[in-house]
Amino acid sequence: MTSRWTTAVLDTDQPGGWAVARSPEGFLFDDNGALFPREWLKRQDLSILAEHGIGHLDGEPVYLLELRSTSEVPGCNWKGLRAFMLDGDHTIYKVLGYAAQIGTWAREHRFCGNCGQAMTQVPRERAMYCQPCDLRSYPRISPSMIVLVTRGDEVLLARSPRFVTGVYSTLAGFAEPGESAEDCLIREVREEVQIEVKNIQYMGSQCWPFPHSMMLGFHAEYAGGEIVCQEDEIEDAQWFNVHDLPPLPASKSIARYLIDVYVARRLGHAEPVLPG
Ligand SMILES: NC(=O)C1=CN([C@@H]2O[C@H](COP(=O)(O)OP(=O)(O)OC[C@H]3O[C@@H](n4cnc5c(N)ncnc54)[C@H](O)[C@@H]3O)[C@@H](O)[C@H]2O)C=CC1
Ligand SMILES: [Mg+2]
Ligand SMILES: [Zn+2]
């Protein structure tokens, strides 16, 4: 199966194609979704900060209009990226997730971090450039480890104070300079619940554009320790039996995939597929 969506650096001087608009309140949408004819969208009363050519959807060019502020467009509303992930077409969510990452990165790299002068978009390359410093800045991606720790029929799940009420998930955390993926995983599990792990196994990865994580998913077995929750970060953590699980994260998340795979293996069910 060929992919409906491929990223590309498109020339914004070319007319036509589709466009999405992103403001501080999310993406613009109407009854037909979040993609609008680009020339029509540019005639609306929008405060455009930057325009980026981001790729092709079903062979048609797609552009992002990154806005300074939210404005009223008749017949349209604004909706955050998370809502597009939770319901709707997964390919459109991929387009918007990529648009959000490019928009955020370009917005936050308008000035050179070395000399403070304005940077320019490099033609045909996804980079911002400072000529006096000959410095290129590329889109930022933050590697984050996510792990399901298990002990036979039990899985270790935790709650952050930021989660929806009642929901428990796998442990996760950002890699720090100097760490391997495994070092990071071991440190995060120690910090968050004071548990030791063994037999770390890589399960798969997922782009998580909130705002720029690359989730690397693992399974690990319990090796020792008693659960002690990290203050402020972890509200509660427990061992849950695979037959008696709490409310779990959204079905398209890698957190949910890691849990579902393990439960399927324990119960002898068919394994799920990780959403890209
Ligand atoms: N797709 C999925 O299923 C899931 C994704 N995640 C994502 O994983 C990432 C990490 O999870 P958390 O438990 O929140 O991380 P964490 O355990 O490292 O704690 C978050 C803290 O790390 C610091 N931080 C923020 N950005 C950072 C960066 N780029 N590098 C280093 N430190 C940074 C901040 O102090 C922040 O409060 C987040 O982006 C989160 O949204 C988390 C759980 C499930
Ligand atoms: Mg964490
Ligand atoms: Zn510079």
Side-chain angles (χ1 to χ4, degrees), residues 162 171-174 188 192 230 233-234:
R162 300 182 294 271
L171 301 174
F174 292 102
E188 282 290 342
E192 294 189 348
Q230 182 181 22
E233 284 290 315
I234 305 293

Side-chain angles (χ1 to χ4, degrees), residues 17-22 26-38 40-41 46 54 57 62-65 75-81 83-85 87-89 91-97 99:
W18 297 106
V20 299
R22 194 176 82 119
F27 288 94
L28 189 72
F29 73 102
D30 69 5
D31 292 343
N32 296 315
L35 286 144
F36 296 86
R38 176 163 162 247
W40 177 86
L41 196 58
L46 302 171
I54 59 171
L57 178 65
V62 180
Y63 295 79
L64 161 67
L65 303 184
C76 300
N77 270 305
W78 300 91
K79 190 162 85 170
L81 181 60
F84 284 98
M85 177 197 67
D87 49 50
D89 183 296
T91 302
I92 299 298
Y93 160 68
K94 296 292 290 180
V95 174
L96 300 181

